[in-house]
Amino acid sequence: MEDRLVEQFGAFSLSRLPADKTTSIVRIDNPSASKQSTATSSEIGSEHTPATSVPSTSPSSPCNIGSTSTVPTADIALSPLDIDETAVPSNPPGVSEDETEESCCEVRETAGKGQGLFATRSIKAGTLVFKESPLINLSRQEEKSSKSIKAAFHALDRTQKKVYKALFDLQKGDVDPVVGIYYSNCYSTDAFAIEGSDDPLAHGGSCIGALASRINHSCVPNVCLFYVPPTDPDKPAEMHFYAFRPIAKGKEILSNYNKHMFNGTKKRQQIFLHQYGFTCSCEACVPPSAFWAKSDKRRGEMRKLIEELAGLEQEWEKHNASSPRPEIVRRPIAALVALESLLVKEKLIDRPLRNVYKSLAKWTVRAGEVPRTWLEKELAVTVLISGKGSRWSLTLDGELRRQA
Ligand SMILES: C[S@@+](CC[C@H](N)C(=O)[O-])C[C@H]1O[C@@H](n2cnc3c(N)ncnc32)[C@H](O)[C@@H]1O
């Protein structure tokens, strides 16, 4: 149940494929957003279906976030890499969509978290903080194979190999570094699948980016990934990171790595320590602050609402889909409005909020009413997390125009 709920409301995270010796997969999950299709109540945050499930791994394989499947180990056998790590560029160019169009972030050393990405100027909500082509981009099938990861690494040019080899490796020494680095830093692309596409890279999987890999985790993140699959051989995939809240100059740029955001602090801390090897010190995790004092209660309430909505969706499917009764939508709509308010208070205003609006639109249609207000709100969030020209935004905008 837990995993299902978490997937629904979508963690947005650096979903990783964990790599331990046994070996299981974990990715930084960006569950929430994918298809433009109508969200079911059980999809409020994310339409992400991980290829994996929570692994029972040792604390030495902290990357095992969220989900697992067994990865064949037979093909893990690489020759040592011939890499000069001194030549690694630390600051790939950032790209901003706001007025200034200047780079707005840089990699710096943090106190206690290794390297991290920081705002070099104030960043407005909705800004494309940076975009980059993945160093490696794998389909769902390929991401489970060490052989595929190593083959993709060997296809990189010399500079790219240097960049890759300098990335953080949680598994240091336990598995081949190329594989360890991939699973320590890759982001899930499952939430960005495009139905009907011929390209396996548009059906989920994962990817790893040079700059993306330097983003640390927060349970109260300020950026999220929007993955653009390759459109043809000359147009490779892109990883876009949008600031969905303003970020002050000098502040750290942070994403959410996992799907457990509706758990309380204690449980989240256990998961992070076990799966990623660190203790989170974000404002939702560390006392004392006014935010921290209310955060656990709010996340618990959200969890209950999500559970209730999953039950209401099942009820609807069983009893009402063929004979709609308008009164049946009152409770789900009230629950979704309560969820909206809690998400805003928790500053989780990216994909989970988008999916709440998507669900509100769906239940409004079930009541026989026009969902325009909710679609407009969904579009506002979608623009914030993917840009106004993204396929998500354009699809929704088209829907609103048709309704006008
Ligand atoms: C994808 S890397 C992020 C960049 C990394 N700090 C580096 O130096 O390249 C993930 C790793 O960074 C560290 N990390 C990320 N978020 C953290 C946090 N909130 N607190 C402590 N360590 C964190 C953990 O070691 C984690 O496994």
Side-chain angles (χ1 to χ4, degrees):
M1 183 64 163
E2 173 174 314
D3 275 351
R4 180 141 184 267
L5 288 176
V6 167
E7 282 155 29
Q8 292 159 0
F9 279 80
F12 2 60
S13 38
L14 187 77
S15 91
R16 311 161 158 227
L17 301 173
D20 61 357
K21 283 193 215 159
T22 52
T23 300
S24 42
I25 293 189
V26 174
R27 300 160 294 177
I28 294 169
D29 277 314
N30 321 280
S32 48
S34 71
K35 309 159 204 153
Q36 284 293 341
S37 58
T38 317
T40 66
S41 61
S42 62
E43 287 170 342
I44 286 180
S46 121
E47 292 100 56
H48 167 70
T49 308
T52 55
S53 59
V54 183
S56 57
T57 56
S58 68
S60 63
S61 52
C63 267
N64 289 342
I65 294 173
S67 45
T68 68
S69 71
T70 303
V71 173
T73 51
D75 60 351
I76 302 180
L78 255 199
S79 52
L81 301 161
D82 173 27
I83 300 294
D84 172 10
E85 297 189 8
T86 57
V88 175
S90 61
N91 290 310
V95 177
S96 160
E97 258 189 357
D98 68 10
E99 307 89 48
T100 57
E101 292 273 324
E102 312 159 356
S103 167
C104 58
C105 56
E106 67 181 14
V107 176
R108 289 186 206 151
E109 274 308 315
T110 66
K113 296 189 276 186
Q115 295 187 32
L117 196 62
F118 288 83
T120 51
R121 61 177 170 81
S122 80
I123 298 173
K124 291 180 190 165
T127 298
L128 174 60
V129 176
F130 71 91
K131 65 179 175 184
E132 64 183 349
S133 289
L135 289 165
I136 293 177
N137 191 7
L138 300 175
S139 67
R140 284 191 196 213
Q141 196 55 37
E142 291 167 330
E143 70 180 4
K144 296 173 192 162
S145 155
S146 309
K147 203 172 168 185
S148 299
I149 297 169
K150 288 183 273 189
F153 172 80
H154 284 298
L156 298 177
D157 67 28
R158 191 174 170 76
T159 308
Q160 289 171 322
K161 281 180 180 160
K162 286 175 185 169
V163 171
Y164 186 97
K165 277 294 289 170
L167 297 177
F168 177 76
D169 181 6
L170 186 64
Q171 307 282 332
K172 232 171 188 141
D174 284 353
V175 294
D176 185 290
V178 166
V179 177
I181 287 171
Y182 191 77
Y183 289 149
S184 298
N185 296 280
C186 68
Y187 276 76
S188 169
T189 59
D190 291 355
F192 308 97
I194 300 178
E195 239 168 77
S197 170
D198 293 337
D199 192 331
L201 294 176
H203 289 283
S206 53
C207 60
I208 179 169
L211 201 48
S213 296
R214 298 303 182 189
I215 303 176
N216 285 317
H217 163 86
S218 170
C219 305
V220 192
N222 50 28
V223 296
C224 62
L225 169 70
F226 181 71
Y227 167 78
V228 183
T231 45
D232 63 59
D234 300 329
K235 187 99 178 53
E238 286 181 349
M239 299 172 82
H240 294 190
F241 281 85
Y242 281 88
F244 57 85
R245 298 194 282 118
I247 306 173
K249 181 178 176 177
K251 291 287 179 193
E252 189 167 1
I253 289 162
L254 299 156
S255 69
N256 179 1
Y257 286 4
N258 84 6
K259 307 173 181 178
H260 300 275
M261 65 182 166
F262 299 114
N263 286 316
T265 312
K266 202 171 159 201
K267 184 111 190 251
R268 288 200 312 276
Q269 293 282 13
Q270 281 169 355
I271 291 166
F272 281 119
L273 194 57
H274 180 67
Q275 300 184 345
Y276 294 86
F278 69 84
T279 303
C280 185
S281 54
C282 75
E283 60 187 310
C285 285
V286 174
S289 73
F291 186 88
W292 171 84
K294 293 183 178 159
S295 178
D296 263 11
K297 186 166 177 281
R298 285 195 289 244
R299 289 182 194 229
E301 284 171 20
M302 287 194 268
R303 193 175 170 79
K304 280 192 197 128
L305 287 168
I306 293 166
E307 279 167 359
E308 185 188 349
L309 282 159
L312 290 165
E313 181 67 31
Q314 279 176 3
E315 279 289 295
W316 171 270
E317 281 162 13
K318 255 194 234 154
H319 304 301
N320 295 285
S322 53
S323 54
R325 281 183 292 133
E327 68 277 10
I328 207 85
V329 308
R330 269 186 221 124
R331 181 54 207 156
I333 288 186
L336 285 160
V337 169
L339 194 51
E340 174 200 23
S341 161
L342 289 162
L343 284 168
V344 170
K345 286 180 185 147
E346 271 306 274
K347 304 192 238 180
L348 299 173
I349 57 169
D350 58 328
R351 297 178 192 128
L353 188 59
R354 173 179 181 259
N355 286 331
V356 163
Y357 291 137
K358 201 184 269 296
S359 290
L360 278 161
K362 176 187 66 183
W363 281 102
T364 302
V365 169
R366 286 173 175 177
E369 289 166 20
V370 177
R372 189 168 183 88
T373 310
W374 301 124
L375 290 178
E376 281 170 352
K377 284 177 182 260
E378 184 189 342
L379 178 59
V381 178
T382 303
V383 168
L384 206 62
I385 63 174
S386 68
K388 57 179 185 287
S390 74
R391 63 178 190 282
W392 288 353
S393 297
L394 294 176
T395 305
L396 256 183
D397 190 50
E399 172 75 23
L400 276 163
R401 280 173 204 277
R402 275 194 296 283
Q403 286 188 9

